[in-house]
Amino acid sequence: QKEVEQNSGPLSVPEGAIASLNCTYSDRGSQSFFWYRQYSGKSPELIMFIYSNGDKEDGRFTAQLNKASQYVSLLIRDSQPSDSATYLCAVPSGGYQKVTFGTGTKLQVIP
Amino acid sequence: EAQVTQNPRYLITVTGKKLTVTCSQNMNHEYMSWYRQDPGLGLRQIYYSMNVEVTDKGDVPEGYKVSRKEKRNFPLILESPSPNQTSLYFCASSPTGLAGISSYEQYFGPGTRLTVT
């Protein structure tokens, strides 16, 4: 089992809809979780991080963490064409020094 | 401007010719890391450094070397590049929290696209 798994997509949603991106992880000791957005040809940039079980909201983005089930998700409300990108889940491990990224989910928002 | 810089941005080289990709950050971050990104495999960590003179292997260290003689610089060295090292390379840095925990966001450089023929 991979340490961090994401569905590669592409996930296509119409403009204005909610996009739901999921990530599962294998290390039960993981404490922090990060979502990065990467536009084609660009470097990743952080959009959300979450440490505690439950939901964390920031504008149109909501991160959801369920440690018992070992998954973290990212919801994007009112999706815009500018949200079209690859979304990477990142989980520190190995004593919080190593960072493992998922392979990313490509999101396409259709106007 | 706070940033991570990488040079060169693009490099085409031949098998066996030693090369160095430089990485520099101006944010006084303790933690620095190198990743390679390949289609279908995502970002994979090559090496990381918690501070000056402290480096450790990531998930794919074979064929690479690093050094951390200064806090701001973290060069990636390919002593004898091979075609399977053709990839997009990213350098990243972040501050560290208490007890060396890297619990903050990583700031990525613009990437270096390396082709080894």
Side-chain angles (χ1 to χ4, degrees):
Chain A
Q1 180 188 4
K2 291 183 181 178
E3 293 183 40
V4 180
E5 293 202 55
Q6 294 181 256
N7 188 320
S8 62
L11 173 66
S12 294
V13 300
E15 183 174 354
I18 296 176
S20 177
L21 306 162
N22 298 312
C23 171
T24 59
Y25 60 94
S26 61
D27 184 355
R28 284 195 171 275
S30 297
Q31 296 294 318
S32 54
F33 307 86
F34 298 80
W35 283 101
Y36 287 80
R37 177 177 61 199
Q38 186 177 24
Y39 291 113
S40 181
K42 301 295 185 182
S43 52
E45 56 178 339
L46 184 76
I47 52 172
M48 288 285 288
F49 65 90
I50 186 166
Y51 300 120
S52 304
N53 267 336
D55 296 358
K56 179 183 179 182
E57 187 174 319
D58 184 2
R60 294 187 296 112
F61 298 96
T62 298
Q64 299 176 319
L65 175 60
N66 184 323
K67 290 187 178 180
S69 300
Q70 294 177 246
Y71 80 80
V72 56
S73 61
L74 179 69
L75 302 178
I76 306 174
R77 290 184 301 281
D78 189 23
S79 295
Q80 301 297 309
S82 58
D83 295 325
S84 297
T86 296
Y87 289 80
L88 305 169
C89 175
V91 182
S93 62
Y96 299 93
Q97 297 179 11
K98 291 177 64 176
V99 180
T100 301
F101 282 80
T103 54
T105 298
K106 186 173 183 179
L107 173 66
Q108 295 176 337
V109 180
I110 312 300
Chain B
E1 179 189 357
Q3 60 183 350
V4 178
T5 56
Q6 294 179 227
N7 283 293
R9 295 289 312 280
Y10 303 90
L11 179 59
I12 300 174
T13 189
V14 296
T15 298
K17 186 177 181 181
K18 181 179 178 179
L19 66 92
T20 299
V21 184
T22 64
C23 173
S24 183
Q25 51 94 4
N26 62 2
M27 295 169 280
N28 201 36
H29 287 166
E30 293 85 0
Y31 184 94
M32 297 186 74
S33 182
W34 276 103
Y35 298 88
R36 59 177 291 174
Q37 187 171 39
D38 303 287
L41 297 177
L43 273 167
R44 292 180 293 167
Q45 195 171 36
I46 303 171
Y47 270 96
Y48 59 91
S49 169
M50 295 298 292
N51 214 323
V52 176
E53 302 293 358
V54 180
T55 63
D56 211 341
K57 297 177 181 178
D59 292 320
V60 288
E62 295 78 20
Y64 304 95
K65 285 177 59 178
V66 293
S67 68
R68 188 91 181 272
K69 293 183 171 58
E70 302 168 285
K71 197 172 187 178
R72 63 182 292 128
N73 296 322
F74 191 44
L76 180 69
I77 303 159
L78 284 72
E79 295 264 356
S80 182
S82 62
N84 64 13
Q85 292 178 299
T86 292
S87 186
L88 178 60
Y89 291 86
F90 287 103
C91 179
S93 73
S94 74
T96 53
L98 296 175
I101 295 174
S102 179
S103 57
Y104 300 101
E105 69 172 295
Q106 293 193 66
Y107 295 81
F108 284 82
T112 294
R113 187 165 293 281
L114 172 66
T115 302
V116 183
T117 61

